[in-house]
Amino acid sequence: MHSPPRGLVYAIYYTVLATIAVPVNLVAIVILYRGRCGLSRCITRYLVSMAITDLLVIITAVLLNRIPAIYFPGSFLSITPMCSLSIVFIYASRDTSVWLTVTFTFDRFVAICCQKLKTKYCTEKTAAMVVGIVCALGCLINIPWYFMHEPIYIQNNIPWYCKLKDIRYTSAIWASFHWIDRIVTPCLPFFLILLFNAMTIRSILAANVARRRLRAHSNGENQSDPEMESRRKSIILLFAISGSFILLWMTYVAYFFFERFIKDYKFKGFTDPKFIFLESANMLQLFSCCTNTFIYAVTQSKFREQLNNMLLSPLILISKLLKY
């Protein structure tokens, strides 16, 4: 984890991001938790969990890391133990958010392509168990990050800031851990999401052709098909979420391979092109933590209805009070 960036662009971006991401994720959590969006409890469980972890990413990475470093340098959050703990929380919440996207994609793949497994796997109980396992593993596998950092300097017996220990570049164990960390997030999720979506598309196309033929022979081609309409809405939601994830994480994955190719892990400053490349990747992947709510609003009519009700309810209450 490099030092948080300094500069007007970064200050404005992270302030705006926090201002938008926190309320939109809170709104998504409240609306989805109420269960009035016409989604199954299984899907709702995944979407609520994704919104919570996205909110945790913004809190840990932006509100407790980026913004304090930009506006309040030298605060108690910059003390080495707090800095190291912050890094653990950032990676844990990030990994959990990413892998919940993978598990949601797999759940929809099973629901659409594996009818025999669907009744057993696509349940609220299974979703709760999967979410719990993902959260637990996300925390456990990132504990080593706490021990990978040392203070940049010590003043009055207080260690300040974090930098990677030199052993990170010489120890085979730490190098392997870093490789595994980058493969687990986000390289493997990239591959799995693309794989599940490709298989889902193939299954949908085959099923739609067969269903159209069957309905053409029985009811005529112009009859509406509620099953295909429901499937279409589910697929739009799935592809919008996974597509957004892939696009916004693509720069981060590109930087990972770029870093492995040049084998140069140090920056000359905030104007170093490598630093700008990495920070651009971080900015995009953090932005992905506030896109799902907008996706729900665009793709789900009942979510829009609940959102409108939530936004209008204070105005309605004020109007009733004034009339009274």
Side-chain angles (χ1 to χ4, degrees):
M1 175 65 66
H2 60 78
S3 299
R6 308 281 174 80
L8 181 61
V9 173
Y10 299 121
I12 294 174
Y13 178 82
Y14 287 116
T15 302
V16 172
L17 178 62
T19 303
I20 295 175
V22 171
V24 298
N25 278 301
L26 286 173
V27 167
I29 292 168
V30 172
I31 292 177
L32 292 170
Y33 183 78
R34 294 170 68 183
R36 300 176 183 176
C37 297
L39 300 171
S40 69
R41 291 186 177 182
C42 175
I43 295 177
T44 300
R45 177 77 68 168
Y46 281 113
L47 297 185
V48 169
S49 302
M50 289 162 63
I52 291 173
T53 52
D54 284 346
L55 178 61
L56 290 176
V57 172
I58 295 299
I59 292 174
T60 56
V62 179
L63 293 179
L64 298 180
N65 182 268
R66 292 295 196 264
I67 289 179
I70 293 172
Y71 291 102
F72 312 105
S75 67
F76 78 98
L77 292 173
S78 300
I79 299 173
T80 302
M82 292 298 297
C83 176
S84 298
L85 190 62
S86 173
I87 291 170
V88 173
F89 286 146
I90 291 170
Y91 280 118
S93 57
R94 181 206 65 176
D95 289 0
T96 304
S97 175
V98 169
W99 278 96
L100 284 177
T101 303
V102 176
T103 56
F104 171 71
T105 305
F106 179 73
D107 178 86
R108 293 301 85 201
F109 162 73
V110 171
I112 294 169
C113 304
C114 309
Q115 295 301 313
K116 293 182 179 179
L117 183 60
K118 175 182 177 180
T119 54
K120 295 182 178 180
Y121 184 82
C122 299
T123 64
E124 185 180 12
K125 183 179 179 180
T126 301
M129 182 180 66
V130 170
V131 169
I133 293 173
V134 170
C135 292
L137 291 177
C139 294
L140 289 174
I141 64 175
N142 285 291
I143 291 177
W145 280 110
Y146 184 84
F147 305 98
M148 289 183 67
H149 296 85
E150 62 184 3
I152 295 178
Y153 62 87
I154 299 177
Q155 186 177 32
N156 298 326
N157 294 323
I158 300 176
W160 289 96
Y161 300 101
C162 292
K163 71 172 182 177
L164 287 170
K165 295 179 180 178
D166 292 337
I167 195 175
R168 153 69 181 83
Y169 305 103
T170 58
S171 170
I173 295 176
W174 288 118
S176 299
F177 171 77
H178 193 258
W179 265 97
I180 293 172
D181 175 73
R182 289 299 183 268
I183 291 172
V184 170
T185 306
C187 296
L188 184 57
F190 248 64
F191 170 77
L192 292 176
I193 288 175
L194 289 173
L195 176 64
F196 293 145
N197 282 344
M199 292 190 295
T200 301
I201 291 172
R202 186 181 66 177
S203 177
I204 290 172
L205 292 177
N208 285 351
V209 170
R211 195 171 181 87
R212 284 196 188 98
R213 288 176 180 174
L214 179 63
R215 291 184 63 82
H217 287 298
S218 58
N219 299 327
E221 295 183 357
N222 294 327
Q223 294 292 327
S224 61
D225 189 342
E227 176 66 23
M228 289 185 64
E229 182 64 21
S230 175
R231 183 178 297 179
R232 184 184 69 84
K233 292 180 179 179
S234 179
I235 290 304
I236 290 174
L237 177 62
L238 168 63
F239 287 173
I241 291 175
S242 56
S244 171
F245 168 81
I246 289 172
L247 287 174
L248 294 174
W249 276 83
M250 191 176 295
T251 307
Y252 192 90
V253 174
Y255 179 82
F256 166 72
F257 289 107
F258 170 75
E259 188 181 48
R260 301 284 83 75
F261 177 75
I262 64 173
K263 296 181 179 180
D264 183 4
Y265 306 102
K266 296 185 178 180
F267 306 111
K268 297 177 182 178
F270 294 142
T271 58
D272 188 327
K274 294 196 303 294
F275 179 86
I276 295 174
F277 188 4
L278 174 59
E279 194 56 35
S280 298
N282 286 330
M283 292 165 73
L284 288 173
Q285 64 103 346
L286 287 172
F287 179 69
S288 69
C289 293
C290 68
T291 56
N292 283 352
T293 303
F294 297 107
I295 290 173
Y296 305 150
V298 171
T299 62
Q300 303 294 308
S301 58
K302 290 187 178 180
F303 184 91
R304 290 196 300 272
E305 180 182 340
Q306 293 298 315
L307 179 61
N308 288 333
N309 292 339
M310 179 177 288
L311 295 176
L312 292 175
S313 57
L315 298 177
I316 295 173
L317 179 60
I318 292 173
S319 176
K320 289 182 178 180
L321 289 174
L322 291 175
K323 288 181 180 179
Y324 179 78

